[in-house]
Amino acid sequence: MKKLLSLLGISLLALVLAVPAFAADKPIQVYINGSSLTFAAGAPYLKNNTVLVPFRAIFERLGLKVLWEAQTGTVTGTGPDLNIRLKVGSKRASINGTVKQLTVAPVSSAGTTYIPLRFIAEATGGTAVWEASSRSVKITVPQSSSAMEQEVQALIHLSNKYYNEEQAQSFYSLTDEPDTAEAVAHMKSQFELYDLRNTIDSLKILSLTGNSATVHTVERSVRTGGRYAPDEQYEYLYTLVYKNGNWRISSMELQDSTVLLTREQGMKPVEAPQNDAAAIKNTVSAYYQNMTAKNVAGTMAVMTSFGEEYDTASKEELEDFFANYGLGYSLASANIYYYASGEAAVYTEVTISDSESEETYNQSLIFLLSQSGSGSWTIDDTYHISFDSE
């Protein structure tokens, strides 16, 4: 073995000797609040049981402005109510003018200045834990409320951006869901059918702690093309969690929705082939007739089938509804305000009477219908616009 090494030559030996001793060890990893930190200027290393790191990356990650004085070899990091100064070769540093003693002085090597990591973490109000087994330093620093609020708001707006760009995979990368394959596939299928533009009209952070947040938004969805869907305003309640150094959306619950269609818009007729117009209105009329008669099979017959599971659930809901309510429906008006090949939207006004309470209600409703291959029209979905008692 010694003979083989001797044949490598002096130049190779010089190269080996030029490599710092710590290079043979596993690289040291640095994490701040769970997020890995990358050092482009040089690798962190151990010296006298102290981890030294390039100063600029750590200062900037902690939100400090950096000043380097080349003539004196002085590094300064400043933030709100904080000023940290260190000097190459000196074990004396200062925090807001108060001198502190360092265990290891900052070092300058190959054009990069290295500073003691633990000192910086503690100077910014954090803690640093060294894990020898993984050769990593895990730093936890408190985040200001304003910084956390900005991160939370940025996450919500980024998710909205991905939605508008129809990037389903990127959208779900912002969530805390462990398995998103099915959700991503469903969102992609919806993107193929609908062209919608979503805007966030208001965003309010209701609660914010170290690792969780609750956010209320008012959002507006406007159709720009594709299959028809009425414009709507939504209220959502987001729950966010802080994991591995990042905020993630844990849940997004719909609190309320409002269809943005005025009566004037709903009552404005559009041109449609006479046969289709008659069939569409007959379907809507048949729906109300079967609802009044508590006819489950008849009601299901005028509704679009979306598979056995969906049909079974709809049938059970209708049976439960008819068993608990005795309502009669009197259709006052039905107007086709949107028509395209194979789809239509109908605005209806109906009077509902309750046999038990003897009260009556006026209801405005939107029906979305589609035409099957056989030419029949069935109801895909309904949207409530208003529901007022007399």
Side-chain angles (χ1 to χ4, degrees), residues 131-197:
E131 292 186 357
S133 60
S134 62
R135 288 181 60 82
S136 64
V137 183
K138 295 184 177 180
I139 297 173
T140 303
V141 293
Q143 291 181 286
S144 67
S145 296
S146 60
M148 292 172 68
E149 288 177 0
Q150 290 177 5
E151 290 181 6
V152 166
Q153 291 175 358
L155 176 63
I156 301 296
H157 284 292
L158 182 58
S159 69
N160 187 66
K161 175 178 179 291
Y162 286 153
Y163 179 85
N164 285 329
E165 293 175 352
E166 298 190 350
Q167 298 186 44
Q169 191 71 53
S170 297
F171 178 91
Y172 276 100
S173 72
L174 304 179
T175 70
D176 189 39
E177 293 293 329
D179 184 6
T180 61
E182 185 176 346
V184 168
H186 176 72
M187 180 174 278
K188 286 182 176 180
S189 68
Q190 295 301 297
F191 286 153
E192 292 176 359
L193 294 175
Y194 301 95
D195 293 328
L196 305 173
R197 176 73 180 178

Side-chain angles (χ1 to χ4, degrees), residues 200-238:
I200 299 176
D201 293 338
S202 73
L203 186 156
K204 183 177 181 180
I205 299 176
L206 302 180
S207 65
L208 180 61
T209 63
N211 58 8
S212 66
T214 305
V215 181
H216 176 268
T217 65
V218 177
E219 305 182 23
R220 185 182 301 258
S221 177
V222 176
R223 175 179 177 267
T224 59
R227 292 195 63 175
Y228 178 79
D231 297 344
E232 290 189 87
Q233 177 179 284
Y234 301 102
E235 291 187 35
Y236 288 110
L237 193 66
Y238 290 81

Side-chain angles (χ1 to χ4, degrees), residues 283 286-287 289-291 294-303 318:
T283 297
Y287 170 83
Q289 291 172 4
N290 284 291
M291 288 290 290
K294 295 186 178 182
N295 185 339
V296 175
T299 305
M300 293 288 296
V302 297
M303 296 173 62
L318 278 172

Side-chain angles (χ1 to χ4, degrees), residues 120 226 380:
I120 302 303
D380 293 343

Side-chain angles (χ1 to χ4, degrees), residues 8-84:
L8 295 178
I10 297 176
S11 60
L12 180 57
L13 179 60
L15 178 62
V16 172
L17 292 176
V19 178
F22 59 83
D25 297 320
K26 181 181 178 181
I28 294 174
Q29 300 293 320
V30 177
Y31 299 90
I32 299 180
N33 289 344
S35 180
S36 179
L37 183 59
T38 301
F39 297 92
Y45 69 95
L46 270 172
K47 180 179 180 182
N48 297 337
N49 294 322
T50 297
V51 175
L52 297 177
V53 299
F55 76 90
R56 186 173 297 277
I58 187 67
F59 273 4
E60 291 180 346
R61 179 61 181 84
L62 292 172
L64 301 176
K65 293 183 179 179
V66 181
L67 176 63
W68 165 247
E69 299 175 16
Q71 292 182 344
T72 61
T74 302
V75 176
T76 303
T78 59
D81 304 318
L82 182 63
N83 182 285
I84 305 173

